[in-house]
Amino acid sequence: MRFSLAFLAVIAAFAQPPAQQRLVSPEVHTDRTVTFRFRAPNAQKVEVAREGLTQRLALTKDDQGVWSGTSEAWEPDLYGYSFIVDGVPQMDPLDSKIKPNLLNPQSVVHIPGSSDLPWEIRNVPRGSVHHHFYHSTIIGDDRDFYVYTPPNYDGQAKTPYPVLFLLHGFSDDASGWTAVGRAHVIFDNLIASGKAKPMLVVMPLGYGAPEIVAPNANAFRDPELMRRNYERFRDATLNEVMPAVEKTYNVSKDRTQRAIAGLSMGGAESLFTGLGRLDRFAWVGAFSAGGGAPEYDKTYPNLKSEAGEKLKLLWMACGTEDRLIEPNRKFVDWLKSNDIRHTWVETPGAHTWMVWRRYLAEFAPLLFRTAS
Amino acid sequence: MRFSLAFLAVIAAFAQPPAQQRLVSPEVHTDRTVTFRFRAPNAQKVEVAREGLTQRLALTKDDQGVWSGTSEAWEPDLYGYSFIVDGVPQMDPLDSKIKPNLLNPQSVVHIPGSSDLPWEIRNVPRGSVHHHFYHSTIIGDDRDFYVYTPPNYDGQAKTPYPVLFLLHGFSDDASGWTAVGRAHVIFDNLIASGKAKPMLVVMPLGYGAPEIVAPNANAFRDPELMRRNYERFRDATLNEVMPAVEKTYNVSKDRTQRAIAGLSMGGAESLFTGLGRLDRFAWVGAFSAGGGAPEYDKTYPNLKSEAGEKLKLLWMACGTEDRLIEPNRKFVDWLKSNDIRHTWVETPGAHTWMVWRRYLAEFAPLLFRTAS
């Protein structure tokens, strides 16, 4: 086939030539430092706030009104960041990588690293991520959930797949664990190396009361609203999402082949839904979750008697720089005092996705092992 | 199950109380006007640039450093917009709805309208959107494509589904047609009302030469690079994406059950791939595409002889305010002079997604009808 230059010339009409050389931001250097650039000719102060760093990176302005600065060398990872422009957080308009969030969307910078890192794409078979939409009669809105299927997923396989329900945190949307957490990449890698069993991962929208993420909701100060949030989330997960998944996919309905885990608010939801319903789940994980209130006896009245027989794994972890470490430790003390078997992991780190990606990579290999 | 207040109190530790009442932007009023707000205490000028409007909305600053302004009443639709802050485009940091784009991500405002509008979610059965990942040996990168399956998709149905390849424009990513174009909602609605046949829609990444979307590539001035872009896109679509889709889904391999359409650069790709390979496609659509070069004889040497027998539909459309209208008209003249049957539609509108959603809703019902 001939590809005429005239045809190309017409196609060229699409292109708007840039008025000036376009700035590049972020620019990741081979030494793992990062240069950020932001044009704001009249701003008085521009800084970069990066996920997991308490200290901001100060930028300086050139005579073209462009603020720039270069970080120290950062560990390979994915980091959310914002420009703080005269005190106001802004996304980087030159960065197409965006961390979706219902209250605080940010830009993302990727420092590439060794292919050993669980979130780096390797030359391995890839699974798929399926986006489903439905009307929730329990919650009363149109909403979505995502399902990861492992590489070479076989809808007709004789042995149905085990399934993990994986929950995002407050202000994330249902895409959080894939778009930010790279859960699909982590599972591809763990499965390819034989570290994790092939499983499906269901990622529902985590709001039982969606009004808690309205801009000025301040819902966490309203116990009745939060009660409804947690209870309706549980009910929609068990009675709407789970049946839809079981109808569409070749997944086990055996409680010993079902896990639930989540981060932050999703960790609290995993404990509430999972530990409260051991007739449906046998494996529970909570990453940087709330926990440890003295009245857990009332929240989980049957846990002490049921756990020994039914709970295959309760895995909890939190970063020592996370302000939720103390409530987590208190909950762990309660578990200990009640002889409820669990794994408790304290790691470096704060309330960040860098921590949660690593937790997922550590937690997933433990699931659905026969020896427990 | 008891839900203790103490447990709720601990969960409340997640919430960071806002230092001050959070601004809301955009605020869509019932009269379809929109108030935008943006905090920038030291900026000299802040405006809103909205997709499809040549005139910007000027904002005014209050004594708190907050710029605000209210639009006229806008027609129900989804609109991309940016704040232009002292000449620099910025996303709205208070708006979680973001239009993904590799060069120019924007915020999105939704003016809700009648449920008759094809992109509004109705109470109808919903299809799903599947995200697939693979390594392209033809193009040499790790990339993705999306597949829409219609409601109640049956992988075992005796009659395989027809399939539309739907291509995004320059600077979009593979999610463009769903995340911005709401193609999945449009198909759900068209199928529910019986206007479109149930079909699969494959949405590949549209770059045969990914370097054309590097920040300062200016690739449209490089004919060799663009030739490679179009040829490799065609080759990857036919030899990698199409076989993967046919292996995974219950789709027809009959050319009369295959369509290809796209917008802007994707329109040019649809013409090049579709009209050049009528052994693989029988239905072709081009929305606001390039076209009309005098050397089409060389690009499509066999089209005149093949079209009468093989081309079921060639549907082209462009907005009269689009600077691509003239090349489109020239191509249509060439089609006429060669007696190649086609449909040519001129509509109001510019080079915008508001136009392309409507084109999809008009084009999709024409596909895979036996009377042609």
Side-chain angles (χ1 to χ4, degrees):
Chain A
M1 175 177 300
R2 299 283 297 273
F3 197 102
S4 81
L5 287 180
F7 182 75
L8 288 163
V10 169
I11 290 167
F14 291 113
Q16 191 85 273
Q20 53 190 344
Q21 190 75 356
R22 181 188 162 102
L23 292 177
V24 173
S25 181
E27 184 181 358
V28 179
H29 306 286
T30 53
D31 63 358
R32 296 187 280 104
T33 63
V34 183
T35 299
F36 295 90
R37 297 183 180 89
F38 187 85
R39 194 185 304 272
N42 294 312
Q44 298 300 304
K45 187 178 183 184
V46 179
E47 303 167 297
V48 173
R50 199 213 76 185
E51 189 180 11
L53 281 187
T54 50
Q55 191 164 355
R56 293 175 179 170
L57 173 67
L59 306 186
T60 55
K61 188 168 78 164
D62 70 11
D63 57 8
Q64 302 297 304
V66 175
W67 296 78
S68 66
T70 298
S71 74
E72 297 179 9
W74 287 341
E75 287 303 305
D77 216 316
L78 295 139
Y79 301 100
Y81 72 95
S82 296
F83 290 111
I84 310 296
V85 183
D86 292 332
V88 182
Q90 309 284 358
M91 283 171 274
D92 186 341
L94 302 173
D95 185 359
S96 65
K97 293 188 294 303
I98 291 168
K99 174 182 166 177
N101 192 284
L102 296 172
L103 292 177
N104 183 29
Q106 288 189 304
S107 300
V108 175
V109 58
H110 176 209
I111 317 287
S114 157
S115 67
D116 290 344
L117 294 171
W119 54 84
E120 291 286 347
I121 293 171
R122 296 179 203 160
N123 184 18
V124 299
R126 306 291 305 275
S128 302
V129 176
H130 313 273
H131 197 183
H132 296 275
F133 308 88
Y134 81 106
H135 182 82
S136 169
T137 52
I138 290 172
I139 298 167
D141 63 2
D142 293 296
R143 53 177 45 216
D144 60 347
F145 61 92
Y146 290 80
V147 177
Y148 165 84
T149 53
N152 305 311
Y153 163 74
D154 180 359
Q156 312 301 318
K158 278 191 181 172
T159 306
Y161 290 79
V163 58
L164 164 65
F165 287 75
L166 186 61
L167 314 181
H168 63 72
F170 180 71
S171 79
D172 291 323
D173 68 21
S175 76
W177 262 113
T178 48
V180 192
R182 289 168 82 97
H184 56 307
V185 179
I186 292 172
F187 272 98
D188 289 346
N189 290 337
L190 292 174
I191 291 167
S193 62
K195 288 181 183 165
K197 288 195 166 186
M199 67 184 78
L200 269 71
V201 184
V202 178
M203 293 160 279
L205 184 67
Y207 305 103
E211 59 266 44
I212 69 171
V213 279
N216 291 298
N218 216 354
F220 285 90
R221 295 180 182 277
D222 181 344
E224 274 308 310
L225 178 57
M226 289 310 296
R227 179 201 303 268
R228 194 167 83 239
N229 182 63
Y230 284 78
E231 290 181 349
R232 289 204 180 159
F233 170 78
R234 175 198 60 202
D235 295 346
T237 300
L238 295 179
N239 300 318
E240 293 179 339
V241 177
M242 191 181 283
V245 168
E246 291 174 351
K247 185 183 169 198
T248 307
Y249 295 95
N250 185 14
V251 288
S252 177
K253 298 179 183 179
D254 182 335
R255 57 173 290 284
T256 69
Q257 299 298 302
R258 259 197 225 114
I260 187 165
L263 70 91
S264 195
M265 178 185 81
E269 290 171 335
S270 295
L271 296 174
F272 181 66
T273 301
L275 298 182
R277 293 298 300 269
L278 290 180
D279 60 317
R280 310 298 288 274
F281 298 96
W283 313 75
V284 179
F287 311 161
S288 315
E295 296 189 31
Y296 273 102
D297 295 316
K298 291 184 184 169
T299 306
Y300 304 116
N302 305 318
L303 184 60
K304 187 175 175 178
S305 60
E306 291 182 346
E309 183 196 350
K310 292 189 174 170
L311 185 59
K312 298 266 188 189
L313 177 70
L314 170 56
W315 192 92
M316 296 184 58
C318 194
T320 53
E321 298 151 64
D322 190 322
R323 65 203 164 88
L324 292 173
I325 186 82
E326 279 310 323
N328 271 279
R329 285 174 179 155
K330 281 185 191 166
F331 183 55
V332 168
D333 287 343
W334 180 83
L335 293 171
K336 281 182 191 163
S337 68
N338 283 278
D339 290 323
I340 295 168
R341 191 172 47 175
H342 62 278
T343 301
W344 167 236
V345 178
E346 296 190 7
T347 68
H351 206 66
T352 72
W353 278 101
M354 295 86 80
V355 165
W356 300 321
R357 287 183 207 101
R358 288 169 173 80
Y359 288 173
L360 181 62
E362 191 170 340
F363 173 72
L366 307 176
L367 294 175
F368 312 123
R369 302 297 178 183
T370 44
S372 71
Chain B
M1 175 177 301
R2 299 284 296 274
F3 197 101
S4 81
L5 287 180
F7 181 76
L8 288 162
V10 170
I11 290 166
F14 292 113
Q16 191 87 272
Q20 54 190 344
Q21 191 74 356
R22 181 187 162 103
L23 292 177
V24 174
S25 180
E27 184 181 359
V28 179
H29 306 286
T30 52
D31 63 358
R32 296 188 278 104
T33 63
V34 184
T35 300
F36 296 90
R37 297 183 180 90
F38 187 85
R39 193 186 304 274
N42 295 311
Q44 297 301 304
K45 187 178 185 184
V46 179
E47 304 167 297
V48 173
R50 200 213 74 185
E51 189 179 12
L53 281 188
T54 49
Q55 190 164 357
R56 293 175 180 170
L57 172 67
L59 305 187
T60 55
K61 188 167 77 164
D62 70 12
D63 57 9
Q64 302 296 304
V66 175
W67 296 78
S68 66
T70 298
S71 74
E72 298 179 8
W74 287 342
E75 287 303 304
D77 215 316
L78 295 139
Y79 300 100
Y81 73 95
S82 297
F83 290 111
I84 310 296
V85 183
D86 292 331
V88 182
Q90 309 284 356
M91 283 171 274
D92 185 342
L94 302 173
D95 185 359
S96 65
K97 293 188 294 301
I98 291 169
K99 174 182 167 178
N101 192 283
L102 296 172
L103 292 177
N104 183 29
Q106 288 189 304
S107 300
V108 175
V109 58
H110 177 209
I111 316 287
S114 156
S115 68
D116 290 345
L117 294 171
W119 54 83
E120 293 286 348
I121 293 171
R122 296 179 202 160
N123 183 19
V124 300
R126 305 292 304 276
S128 303
V129 177
H130 312 273
H131 197 183
H132 296 276
F133 308 88
Y134 81 106
H135 182 81
S136 169
T137 53
I138 290 172
I139 298 167
D141 64 0
D142 293 295
R143 53 177 45 217
D144 61 345
F145 61 91
Y146 290 79
V147 176
Y148 166 84
T149 52
N152 305 311
Y153 164 75
D154 180 359
Q156 313 301 317
K158 278 190 182 172
T159 306
Y161 290 79
V163 58
L164 165 65
F165 287 74
L166 186 61
L167 314 181
H168 63 72
F170 179 70
S171 79
D172 291 324
D173 69 21
S175 75
W177 263 112
T178 48
V180 191
R182 291 167 81 98
H184 55 307
V185 179
I186 292 172
F187 272 99
D188 289 345
N189 290 338
L190 292 173
I191 291 168
S193 61
K195 288 180 183 166
K197 287 195 166 186
M199 66 184 79
L200 269 70
V201 183
V202 178
M203 294 159 279
L205 183 67
Y207 306 103
E211 59 266 44
I212 69 172
V213 278
N216 291 298
N218 216 353
F220 285 91
R221 296 179 183 278
D222 181 344
E224 275 308 310
L225 178 57
M226 289 311 295
R227 177 201 303 267
R228 196 166 83 240
N229 182 63
Y230 284 78
E231 291 181 348
R232 289 203 180 161
F233 170 78
R234 174 197 61 202
D235 295 346
T237 299
L238 295 179
N239 302 317
E240 293 179 339
V241 177
M242 191 180 284
V245 168
E246 291 174 351
K247 186 183 167 198
T248 307
Y249 296 95
N250 186 14
V251 288
S252 177
K253 299 179 183 179
D254 183 334
R255 57 173 290 285
T256 67
Q257 298 299 301
R258 256 196 227 116
I260 187 165
L263 71 91
S264 195
M265 178 186 81
E269 290 171 335
S270 296
L271 295 173
F272 181 66
T273 301
L275 298 182
R277 293 298 299 270
L278 291 181
D279 59 317
R280 310 298 289 275
F281 298 96
W283 312 76
V284 179
F287 310 162
S288 314
E295 297 189 30
Y296 274 101
D297 295 316
K298 291 183 183 169
T299 305
Y300 305 115
N302 304 318
L303 185 60
K304 186 175 176 178
S305 61
E306 291 181 347
E309 183 196 350
K310 292 189 173 172
L311 185 58
K312 298 267 187 188
L313 177 70
L314 170 55
W315 192 91
M316 296 184 58
C318 193
T320 53
E321 299 152 63
D322 190 322
R323 63 202 166 89
L324 292 173
I325 187 80
E326 279 310 322
N328 270 279
R329 286 173 177 156
K330 281 186 191 164
F331 183 55
V332 169
D333 287 344
W334 179 83
L335 293 170
K336 282 181 190 163
S337 69
N338 284 277
D339 290 324
I340 295 167
R341 191 172 46 174
H342 61 277
T343 301
W344 167 235
V345 178
E346 296 190 9
T347 68
H351 206 66
T352 71
W353 278 102
M354 294 88 78
V355 166
W356 300 321
R357 287 183 206 99
R358 287 170 174 81
Y359 288 173
L360 181 62
E362 191 169 342
F363 174 72
L366 307 175
L367 294 175
F368 313 123
R369 301 296 178 185
T370 45
S372 70

